[in-house]
Amino acid sequence: MDTELLAAIGEVAVGSARLEYAMAELAMAARGLEGDKQLQKLMKPRKVRDAFRELAAEHADWRPFLRLWQDCEAVLDDRNRLMHAVVVTAADDTEQAHPEFWHVPSDSQVSIGPAAIKEHARDIDRCVRRVMRLIPEAHQRRAAAST
């Protein structure tokens, strides 16, 4: 497998970890939680996504959060399909070999190159920035709700 493809997959993996960490910080801010112990609980597999789902139900009027939640779910679902795929070598009509990703659970196969994977990493980074921008608003909403 070529290094450009591996580097692109690495960008997705690192960006996803940053996104889930930022999502945990936002969930903690929205709930008024603090501390490493609370953060560690949210960083367990699927916990931060569950927390976002609960926040969406509790804050149905918070439109920027609802749009963000949907986008985070989408990029993380795509990340899961990429990270849990097996790379196989396929040949096209010209008999030229190229990598394809076989997602075993869904038994689907897709040919995707480094450029598309890097674009996915950029989508993840955009979600990270949006999450970080909502953290101060989450603190404000929490403060307003407790008065």
Side-chain angles (χ1 to χ4, degrees):
M1 198 174 341
D2 78 41
T3 56
E4 186 181 12
L5 184 64
L6 290 172
I9 292 169
E11 287 179 38
V12 168
V14 170
S16 296
R18 287 180 50 234
L19 176 57
E20 288 181 323
Y21 185 88
M23 289 169 68
E25 287 188 341
L26 177 55
M28 288 176 57
R31 292 254 166 80
L33 303 174
E34 294 180 5
D36 289 341
K37 214 172 207 175
Q38 295 294 328
L39 183 62
Q40 287 173 359
K41 285 181 186 176
L42 284 173
M43 292 308 296
K44 292 186 187 324
R46 297 219 41 97
K47 291 294 183 190
V48 73
R49 292 175 82 174
D50 291 344
F52 255 47
R53 196 170 292 109
E54 291 167 8
L55 285 172
E58 294 167 10
H59 299 277
D61 63 323
W62 192 11
R63 292 209 187 287
F65 174 79
L66 296 176
R67 283 191 300 274
L68 176 62
W69 169 60
Q70 292 168 342
D71 291 345
C72 288
E73 282 283 308
V75 296
L76 290 174
D77 284 345
D78 288 346
R79 179 271 325 255
N80 284 345
R81 279 191 286 284
L82 178 66
M83 293 297 143
H84 297 281
V86 176
V87 178
V88 294
T89 302
D92 58 19
D93 294 340
T94 64
E95 296 299 319
Q96 198 158 22
H98 60 276
E100 288 196 355
F101 293 85
W102 174 41
H103 186 246
V104 179
S106 65
D107 194 26
S108 61
Q109 196 163 323
V110 64
S111 179
I112 184 170
I117 295 171
K118 285 182 180 187
E119 182 58 35
H120 182 62
R122 285 189 288 276
D123 289 342
I124 292 169
D125 286 339
R126 283 189 280 276
C127 281
V128 170
R129 288 191 301 274
R130 289 171 57 204
V131 169
M132 297 305 288
R133 283 195 302 263
L134 275 186
I135 290 173
E137 186 177 335
H139 284 295
Q140 291 170 350
R141 288 176 66 91
R142 179 76 182 164
S146 64
T147 58

